[in-house]
Amino acid sequence: MAFRRTVEDFACGHCGAPNHGDGYTNHCAQCLWSRHVDVDPGDRADTCGGLMAPVDAQLERGRWLVVHCCTVCGVQRRCRTSGADDVDVLAEVARRRATGF
Ligand SMILES: [Zn+2]
Ligand SMILES: [Zn+2]
């Protein structure tokens, strides 16, 4: 399925922060929580709708990847971060992962 760009603003389902969607990310820039709405990135075709917790963060070639785990169905997704995301929160997620919480 082709990537479809969906630009939308949304309020974070976890912390309530208003987010300005850029069409590529649908996670919160403040707490990194996401929502399980895509089958392929951007298609909004999944009906799960569960909140996705940031469970891991990895630095790959100078860019952070965040791993989300759906709190409803347990699916895990790796997601690219954007420049708007809070690097301190990414580092905290990575540290928690490394120390086993
Ligand atoms: Zn949030
Ligand atoms: Zn789910």
Side-chain angles (χ1 to χ4, degrees):
M1 195 178 284
F3 182 86
R4 192 160 73 236
R5 190 169 179 214
T6 308
V7 179
E8 60 193 356
D9 294 339
F10 61 96
C12 175
H14 180 66
C15 73
N19 280 270
H20 181 65
D22 65 4
Y24 295 107
T25 180
N26 68 338
H27 60 260
C28 176
Q30 312 242 337
C31 70
L32 304 178
W33 281 61
S34 184
R35 198 176 271 276
H36 188 190
V37 290
D38 294 341
V39 175
D40 290 315
D43 65 6
R44 305 294 188 266
D46 205 293
T47 54
C48 174
L51 283 174
M52 299 190 74
V55 294
D56 197 7
Q58 298 152 359
L59 199 53
E60 197 172 272
R61 292 194 207 105
R63 276 199 84 130
W64 283 97
L65 292 170
V66 59
V67 182
H68 286 120
C69 181
C70 181
T71 55
V72 173
C73 70
V75 75
Q76 289 202 2
R77 292 277 166 78
R78 274 167 32 119
C79 176
R80 281 223 224 126
T81 58
S82 77
D85 293 336
D86 193 323
V87 178
D88 290 340
V89 179
L90 284 163
E92 174 66 15
V93 169
R95 191 191 62 76
R96 271 207 317 256
R97 176 72 169 194
T99 57
F101 285 43

